[in-house]
Amino acid sequence: MKAKKIIVMILILASAAIVGVVAGSSDERTTGDKMASDIRSEELATLAGGCFWCLESDLEKIPGVLKVVSGYSGGDLDRPTYEEVSSGTSGHREVVQVHFDPSRLSYEDLLGYYWRIFDPTDDGGSFNDRGEQYTSAIYYHNEEQRRIAERTRDELDSSGKFNKSVVTPIIPFEKFWPAEEYHQDYYRKNPTRYWFYRSMSGRNGFIEKNWGDIHKNEKSTAGDTDGMQSGYDIPSDEELQRTLTELQYEVIREEGTEPAFNNEYWDEKRKGIYVDRVSGEVLFSSREKYESGTGWPSFYKPLESDNIVEKTDRKLFMVRTEVRSRHADSHLGHVFDDGPQPTGLRYCINSASLRFVPLEELEQEGYGEYLKHFD
């Protein structure tokens, strides 16, 4: 009987193992099917309409758009640089490649937005940016995209919306080269310079005159109202949780404190500026940074005091003055009255809330106006 019981137990265990394998195979098939479904749920559109910073900013606000990458298409050079393209000699256009979910956003609806964010009657450039590299174009990826692009272009042309003909060419897609990293999400990284450029370019006036608020129903409500009105596009808390480290989020949104002497910038000695990690607004400079011995970055005054907000902090059974950024509302740290002259103040700031921009990168990052601070 004992032998029989042992055999039965072995059979039971073997059956369980087989069931597990079959179930695992089923799970793998399900996962594979899901992955295939996920792959099918993303399509590409490659569009030109002048400055790719502006196209990226507008198109990323559309529900159903997964991401937008700035880059270059057309031309004969492989892997062109921004300098080569902007010179107008390479034959490339500034473009964006839009990754979108066709179950949420059709290609036709995407083009419905696209036609409204540039002047499709301009064959010499786009607003203040002149030259072929800034002209508009639709690079279609398949025949269906070609038919939709041609039909929507013809409908716009015959609508009487403009006094001139729509001249945007529709071209077969061949190659796409992503632009340099500092161009990606430029409107987020350099909001001050971006909004200055955009407001001066004539694009905003053209859109408002002809179409009104094209993102009236889709505009992000992330961040505070002051930040939005000032041109800072503040990511939602959900997005920040995805893009920030656990410590950065804890400090910035939960008023946490990073470890002393074990953070990114406490001993940073290079020349440059410190901007808000979320919004990019300018906060402090290396010229006003000093060694306080506390283990955190310390400054005796801000570089841009208008971007600093002070609040009374009564946590930890004491009264302190908290320091926050105005537009992103990031918790930065605290200010104390034990600093050096000429102010006598010590802005004790968490590295997690800051992003350092070295002196040699100020121009390309959009902070060129601060070079004079280091003369």
Side-chain angles (χ1 to χ4, degrees):
M1 293 292 292
K2 285 185 178 180
K4 185 177 180 180
K5 286 184 179 179
I6 292 172
I7 291 171
V8 170
M9 288 298 296
I10 291 173
L11 290 172
I12 291 173
L13 290 173
S15 299
I18 292 170
V19 169
V21 169
V22 172
S25 299
S26 175
D27 289 342
E28 289 174 5
R29 284 196 300 271
T30 301
T31 302
D33 292 343
K34 184 179 185 302
M35 290 176 65
S37 174
D38 289 344
I39 292 172
R40 288 194 300 269
S41 69
E42 180 176 315
E43 289 188 14
L44 288 177
T46 303
L47 308 169
C51 170
F52 46 27
W53 300 343
C54 298
L55 265 65
E56 184 178 9
S57 170
D58 284 338
L59 296 176
E60 281 191 342
K61 294 181 174 70
I62 302 172
V65 168
L66 304 175
K67 68 175 180 178
V68 182
V69 182
S70 292
Y72 316 110
S73 283
D76 300 320
L77 295 177
D78 284 345
R79 299 177 181 83
T81 65
Y82 176 69
E83 288 72 21
E84 290 169 334
V85 175
S86 62
S87 71
T89 60
S90 72
H92 299 84
R93 287 183 175 90
E94 286 194 7
V95 303
V96 292
Q97 196 155 80
V98 184
H99 299 245
F100 65 100
D101 180 352
S103 69
R104 299 174 57 201
L105 176 70
S106 69
Y107 183 69
E108 182 169 350
D109 286 342
L110 173 61
L111 292 187
Y113 285 95
Y114 164 74
W115 286 120
R116 292 181 286 169
I117 58 178
F118 68 99
D119 182 356
T121 69
D122 188 346
D123 62 0
S126 184
F127 304 107
N128 284 349
D129 295 318
R130 311 312 298 165
E132 182 185 7
Q133 67 272 34
Y134 297 112
T135 56
S136 63
I138 296 176
Y139 294 87
Y140 62 87
H141 288 256
N142 52 52
E143 282 301 301
E144 182 182 10
Q145 286 192 356
R146 180 188 63 80
R147 289 193 295 271
I148 293 172
E150 290 178 349
R151 175 168 52 80
T152 57
R153 181 188 59 184
D154 293 345
E155 288 173 353
L156 178 60
D157 191 35
S158 61
S159 69
K161 184 71 176 179
F162 305 110
N163 294 327
K164 297 187 293 182
S165 298
V166 173
V167 296
T168 302
I170 297 170
I171 304 168
F173 172 80
E174 292 184 0
K175 292 182 180 180
F176 170 82
W177 292 273
E180 294 80 352
E181 181 58 33
Y182 68 89
H183 284 300
Q184 309 301 333
D185 288 319
Y186 190 89
Y187 71 102
R188 292 186 186 276
K189 295 174 182 175
N190 304 286
T192 303
R193 181 170 180 175
Y194 168 72
W195 282 102
F196 177 78
Y197 159 80
R198 178 161 180 147
S199 62
M200 296 297 291
S201 72
R203 186 182 295 263
N204 282 350
F206 174 86
I207 293 173
E208 290 169 8
K209 176 184 176 181
N210 290 283
W211 304 104
D213 185 354
I214 62 172
H215 292 293
K216 184 176 183 180
N217 297 319
E218 293 83 27
K219 185 175 290 184
S220 170
T221 56
D224 59 22
T225 303
D226 183 41
M228 289 299 296
Q229 290 177 343
S230 302
Y232 292 92
D233 197 347
I234 310 302
S236 66
D237 279 0
E238 182 181 18
E239 184 175 350
L240 289 178
Q241 286 180 310
R242 291 196 305 268
T243 57
L244 298 177
T245 67
E246 184 176 346
L247 176 61
Q248 288 167 352
Y249 185 85
E250 179 185 349
V251 170
I252 291 171
R253 284 294 178 254
E254 298 176 350
E255 289 79 49
T257 302
E258 66 193 7
F261 300 102
N262 185 22
N263 55 77
E264 192 171 3
Y265 302 128
W266 77 273
D267 199 31
E268 177 61 67
K269 294 182 172 60
R270 291 176 294 169
K271 292 182 179 180
I273 64 174
Y274 295 83
V275 303
D276 183 277
R277 188 176 292 275
V278 172
S279 66
E281 58 197 286
V282 176
L283 302 172
F284 300 97
S285 158
S286 60
R287 286 194 59 179
E288 290 75 46
K289 189 172 185 284
Y290 73 99
E291 295 185 13
S292 65
T294 62
W296 289 285
S298 299
F299 308 85
Y300 62 80
K301 72 173 183 177
L303 177 56
E304 291 287 0
S305 57
D306 286 345
N307 291 338
I308 297 292
V309 175
E310 297 182 3
K311 296 184 177 181
T312 301
D313 178 5
R314 300 182 183 276
K315 295 191 291 290
L316 302 179
F317 306 102
M318 64 181 79
V319 178
R320 297 180 295 174
T321 301
E322 180 192 9
V323 179
R324 305 185 73 90
S325 61
R326 178 174 300 278
H327 304 290
D329 194 32
S330 301
H331 170 72
L332 303 176
H334 294 83
V335 59
F336 303 93
D337 59 3
D338 57 4
Q341 294 301 317
T343 65
L345 300 175
R346 171 170 61 92
Y347 287 84
C348 186
I349 307 299
N350 288 282
S351 294
S353 303
L354 304 175
R355 185 172 72 86
F356 178 67
V357 184
L359 177 63
E360 59 272 17
E361 296 178 14
L362 290 182
E363 188 70 48
Q364 73 176 42
E365 289 259 8
Y367 298 103
E369 63 190 284
Y370 294 97
L371 286 169
K372 62 186 178 184
H373 185 66
F374 296 92
D375 291 342

